[in-house]
Amino acid sequence: MATTTMDERFTLNEKELDQIIATPRTKIPEVNIFNDIKLPKKERIAHAANILKNRKCKS
């Protein structure tokens, strides 16, 4: 799983905050694709290590 960090800071005014708060919630359906977000940190690290190990070029 790839992640990226944004270092930019954004300032919201009160109107923008009200729009965010007023936005209706959307339920995202569960899919049958593996997702490591809900795994404990130790298992996520082990899973990532396994992915990296499998990607190494075999000569």
Side-chain angles (χ1 to χ4, degrees), residues 3-56:
T3 59
T4 177
T5 344
M6 292 176 41
D7 292 329
E8 297 178 46
R9 290 186 172 224
F10 296 95
T11 304
L12 300 173
N13 61 32
E14 195 162 337
K15 180 182 177 186
E16 293 167 328
L17 289 172
D18 289 339
Q19 287 177 325
I20 292 171
I21 293 170
T23 303
R25 292 182 182 171
T26 303
K27 177 140 173 97
I28 300 174
E30 289 287 329
V31 292
N32 292 327
I33 298 172
F34 177 76
N35 185 344
D36 65 356
I37 291 176
K38 294 182 180 178
L39 291 178
K41 184 176 181 178
K42 187 175 182 179
E43 290 181 35
R44 283 197 317 265
I45 292 171
H47 184 251
N50 190 36
I51 290 172
L52 292 174
K53 183 178 82 174
N54 289 333
R55 286 186 182 174
K56 288 186 179 175

